[in-house]
Amino acid sequence: MTLRVGAHVSIAGGVDNAVGNQTDVGGNCGQIFTHSPQVWQDPNIGDEEAESFRSGTDRDLDGPWVIHTSYLVNLCTPKDGLREKSLDSMQAEVDAAAKLDIPYVNVHLGAHTGAGVEGGLDNAASVIDDVDVPDGVTILVESDAGSGTKLGGDFEHLAGVIDRTDTDIDVCIDTAHAFAAGYDLSTAAGVDETVAEFDDVVGLDHLRCLHLNDSKHECGTNKDEHAHIGEGHIGEAGMERIVNHPDLMDVPLVLETPTEDGRSYEWNIERVRELRTE
C-alpha cells in the first residue's frame, strides 16, 4: 500500500510552483492555500498556471492535493455578513479546486459565538448546502482543538454537520487538534480507541485526509501548537501507531509541522517514512 505523505507548501510565484515545492521536501501529496489565509481574497489562477499545475501533479506526484480555506471563514457564525463572506469564499475555493483538478477543499467549522452548539452546526450545514460544489470536488470539515466556542473538537460535531447537510461532505482529522481536544493519541491503545470511536460516531468511510502533526501541549489542553513528528506530547509511540493503523494506512497524510530546530518538512516527512513499518 503506497504511503501518501506530503506537506502544506507555498504557491509563491504561481500555484504550479507547489508541485516542485512538494517534491523538494519528499512529498507525494499535499495541501495549499490559494491565497493568503489571513485575508478575504479570491484565488487568481490563470489557465496556463492551472494547466502547468495539473500536468506537473500528474507527472511527479501520487496525490491528492487539498485546498485549505482562509482562516477567516466561519461556517458556524450567526452573523449574516460573515456568513455571506464565508459562503463567497467557499464558492471561490471549490471552483479553484475544480480548475486545478484538486479533489478536496478543507475548512474549519469555526465558532458559534453565542449561537450554541446546535445552532452553530445548523449554520454550518446551511452554508455548505448553499455552495455549488462542482463534480469531483468534496468539502472536508476539519477537526478542531476545541477552544472557546469553536466547533469540531468533538467527533459528534463532525457527525452533526454531516447529518444536517444534503451535500456529500467528508472529514479531515488533525492529530494535534484531536489530541488537544482530549483524544489521547500518545499510545497504541489510545490510537486504537480513538479510531474506533471515530468510526462509531462519524464513520471511517468519511475520513479522507489526516493532518499529521504532533503537539507541543498535553492532551485535553485545547491548545493548538504543532510539534515535529514524534517529538511532541503525542510522541513516537502514538505517531508510529497512527501511520501503521490498518484503518488509516491508505489515508493521505498532510503535515503542517513547524520549521525550527534545524528541521523542516523534509525531516518530518522522512520521519514518517521511518515510522511506517509495512
Side-chain angles (χ1 to χ4, degrees):
M1 192 174 294
T2 300
L3 173 61
R4 293 183 289 171
V5 58
H8 184 118
V9 296
S10 171
I11 65 162
V15 70
D16 49 335
N17 288 335
V19 178
N21 292 337
Q22 193 64 251
T23 59
D24 285 347
V25 296
N28 58 12
C29 65
Q31 182 174 269
I32 58 171
F33 293 123
T34 61
H35 57 83
S36 169
Q38 309 290 353
V39 298
W40 296 111
Q41 180 180 333
D42 285 344
N44 182 19
I45 302 168
D47 292 343
E48 290 185 10
E49 193 181 336
E51 171 56 31
S52 178
F53 175 89
R54 294 192 301 266
S55 62
T57 295
D58 290 343
R59 181 185 65 242
D60 297 332
L61 302 174
D62 294 321
W65 284 104
V66 180
I67 289 176
H68 195 300
T69 62
S70 167
Y71 292 139
L72 300 180
V73 169
N74 186 347
L75 303 183
C76 294
T77 183
K79 300 175 182 178
D80 290 341
L82 181 54
R83 182 193 190 278
E84 289 308 309
K85 286 183 176 180
S86 298
L87 173 58
D88 289 346
S89 183
M90 287 294 297
Q91 188 64 58
E93 299 289 19
V94 298
D95 290 343
K99 184 170 188 174
L100 296 170
D101 283 347
I102 291 178
Y104 302 122
V105 172
N106 183 74
V107 63
H108 296 270
L109 289 175
H112 68 69
T113 61
V117 172
E118 297 302 315
L121 296 176
D122 288 343
N123 293 341
S126 171
V127 175
I128 291 170
D129 281 341
D130 281 349
V131 179
D132 183 10
V133 183
D135 291 342
V137 177
T138 300
I139 293 172
L140 305 182
V141 291
E142 180 180 343
S143 65
D144 196 87
S147 61
T149 65
K150 290 181 179 178
L151 299 184
D154 295 339
F155 292 160
E156 285 80 3
H157 297 167
L158 306 176
V161 175
I162 291 170
D163 289 344
R164 285 167 167 81
T165 59
D166 295 322
T167 307
D168 290 331
I169 64 172
D170 288 313
V171 170
C172 170
I173 293 295
D174 185 307
T175 54
H177 294 175
F179 187 72
Y183 296 96
D184 190 356
L185 300 170
S186 63
T187 65
V191 171
D192 291 351
E193 181 178 338
T194 300
V195 171
E197 183 172 351
F198 178 87
D199 190 29
D200 182 57
V201 174
V202 182
L204 282 164
D205 57 317
H206 284 293
L207 183 61
R208 292 289 176 261
C209 180
L210 278 175
H211 283 174
L212 190 69
N213 301 299
D214 212 322
S215 174
K216 290 187 177 180
H217 301 282
E218 294 181 357
C219 184
T221 59
N222 302 122
K223 294 181 179 180
D224 177 17
E225 194 173 4
H226 300 173
H228 295 304
I229 300 299
E231 301 288 312
H233 285 276
I234 294 177
E236 184 174 318
M239 283 291 164
E240 182 174 13
R241 183 55 178 165
I242 291 167
V243 301
N244 290 289
H245 192 287
D247 290 329
L248 305 180
M249 289 181 69
D250 196 38
V251 178
L253 309 175
V254 174
L255 278 63
E256 302 166 323
T257 46
T259 297
E260 59 188 17
D261 306 324
R263 302 169 182 173
S264 58
Y265 282 140
E266 187 172 9
W267 184 91
N268 282 279
I269 288 173
E270 181 58 31
R271 188 74 181 104
V272 172
R273 295 189 189 284
E274 291 171 354
L275 291 172
R276 184 68 167 250
T277 60
E278 298 182 22

